Amino acid sequence: MAGFVPPGTTLLGNEATSEAAKKINEVHRKVDYLNLPCPIPYEELHREALMSLKPEYFEGMRFDFTKGLNQKFSLSHSVMMGPMEIPSQSSEAIKIPTAHYEFGANFIDQKTMLIGRVLTDGRVNARVKCDLTDDLALKANAQLTNEPHMSHVMLNFDYKGKDYRSQLQLGNGALFGASYIQSVTPHMSLGAEVFWAGQHRKSGVGYAGRYETDKMVIGLALILYCMSYHCSIDVFEYCVAAGQVASTGLMALSYVQKVSEKVSLATDFMYNYLSKDVTASVGYDYALRQARLRGKIDSNGCTSAFLEERLNMGLNFVLSAELDHKKKDYKFGFGLTVG
């Protein structure tokens, strides 16, 4: 009778005791600040929100074809036909029909990535990424056009530490920039950036933070810009300046919640201190077995949706839609991606 257990009772044996002790240890476990994870790059703080809320919307027809010549080298062909929006004083959008062809070449291996694009309108785009060492990488972006003063070149040197990342930027127009981001806890990282554009006599300082768990990502970015011009001494909330200095501010917030393995919800918030413009948007990212659907609605009443469906191996069908009832601007696009 001593070993008899009435129905409905539960024994707290060694298994249950060890399980409870494990949970208590996890709660009271001390953080090893000497072995924190390496954070993501400063420029990718909002990457989850951008992927969900800002896919590559387009209008008209698009066809992309990629042919791999070997494991490292491939060629791409793209045809785009659709209207192009031109600036106008009217509230309604003014569009003109356009079409262009783009030829591309790609070279990718374990340490080097070379991507080049040539368009029929004369534009040339190039991207280079090279791992100089295990911790130091070189990135270069160039956009060359026939229009004067519209070509841009940017060089980035990225250094990856044990629990931090730093970046140095050099660009045409006497552009210099630097950023640094540091993990402060296993889930939180803080960073800052500075830049100087000598051609436009504009400088800026930015601060950012990111909190990430397995199912949640929170991003915060605060950017302060100072532009030099002839004026009297001014004092603003975000910057105290003297002489030929004024200041404006830009704040960006983002939040992503992973509801399940297939569904994520995202929202972002943008605030411009100078123009007092505020924009907020909320969206979703739904990954199906053969398709991926993303959509959003913002505070201006603009609704967007983007669908990518895999019809067969190497063949994808793309649908894009943007509805702006306030501006009476409606954009619809469809495309095929082969390769």
Side-chain angles (χ1 to χ4, degrees), residues 9-263:
T9 60
T10 304
L11 287 178
L12 187 63
N14 293 334
E15 247 180 64
T17 305
S18 62
E19 204 57 45
K22 191 182 298 183
K23 290 183 179 180
I24 294 174
N25 290 335
E26 288 180 359
V27 173
H28 298 283
R29 183 178 55 188
K30 292 183 179 180
V31 177
D32 187 2
Y33 290 99
L34 297 179
N35 291 292
L36 294 176
C38 184
I40 67 170
Y42 189 92
E43 57 190 10
E44 299 180 13
L45 284 169
H46 302 279
R47 65 182 181 186
E48 289 85 0
L50 291 176
M51 288 175 62
S52 299
L53 298 174
K54 297 180 180 180
E56 192 177 348
Y57 295 109
F58 65 96
E59 185 177 10
M61 188 277 292
R62 190 178 77 184
F63 177 76
D64 301 314
F65 175 75
T66 302
K67 174 65 175 179
L69 302 182
N70 53 46
Q71 294 183 349
K72 297 182 179 180
F73 191 73
S74 62
L75 299 177
S76 64
H77 308 268
S78 299
V79 178
M80 180 71 183
M81 292 185 291
M84 181 180 68
E85 190 171 337
I86 59 176
S88 171
Q89 298 279 346
S90 173
S91 59
E92 297 185 8
I94 299 179
K95 303 178 182 180
I96 57 175
T98 60
H100 67 259
Y101 164 75
E102 178 185 274
F103 173 76
N106 312 306
F107 176 83
I108 300 175
D109 66 3
Q110 294 182 350
K111 291 190 175 183
T112 306
M113 181 181 70
L114 305 174
I115 298 176
R117 297 288 185 269
V118 180
L119 287 81
T120 51
D121 58 6
R123 286 180 295 166
V124 177
N125 300 322
R127 290 176 54 200
V128 178
K129 182 180 182 298
C130 180
D131 294 334
L132 303 178
T133 66
D134 293 339
D135 300 323
L136 182 62
L138 168 65
K139 296 179 183 178
N141 294 279
Q143 182 178 4
L144 308 178
T145 67
N146 296 326
E147 302 178 17
H149 310 295
M150 294 301 293
S151 298
H152 303 282
V153 178
M154 177 73 71
L155 292 176
N156 295 336
F157 294 92
D158 297 338
Y159 183 79
K160 177 182 177 182
K162 185 178 179 182
D163 56 2
Y164 68 91
R165 287 180 184 266
S166 59
Q167 183 183 77
L168 176 64
Q169 297 178 338
L170 304 173
N172 64 323
L175 177 62
F176 303 95
S179 64
Y180 179 85
I181 185 168
Q182 171 76 56
S183 293
V184 293
T185 72
H187 301 292
M188 180 179 287
S189 55
L190 301 175
E193 67 171 345
V194 295
F195 74 88
W196 164 255
Q199 183 177 356
H200 302 286
R201 303 192 68 183
K202 184 183 293 185
S203 63
V205 179
Y207 305 96
R210 176 183 169 96
Y211 183 82
E212 178 182 3
T213 64
D214 293 338
K215 292 189 176 182
M216 179 180 65
V217 178
I218 302 176
L220 165 66
L222 176 63
I223 307 173
L224 310 178
Y225 295 108
C226 299
M227 182 171 59
S228 300
Y229 59 93
H230 293 284
C231 67
S232 58
I233 298 176
D234 288 312
V235 180
F236 292 87
E237 180 180 356
Y238 290 139
C239 179
V240 179
Q244 301 174 347
V245 178
S247 67
T248 63
L250 176 66
M251 183 174 66
L253 298 168
S254 66
Y255 176 80
V256 178
Q257 175 71 50
K258 190 173 182 180
V259 181
S260 66
E261 291 296 327
K262 295 183 178 180
V263 181

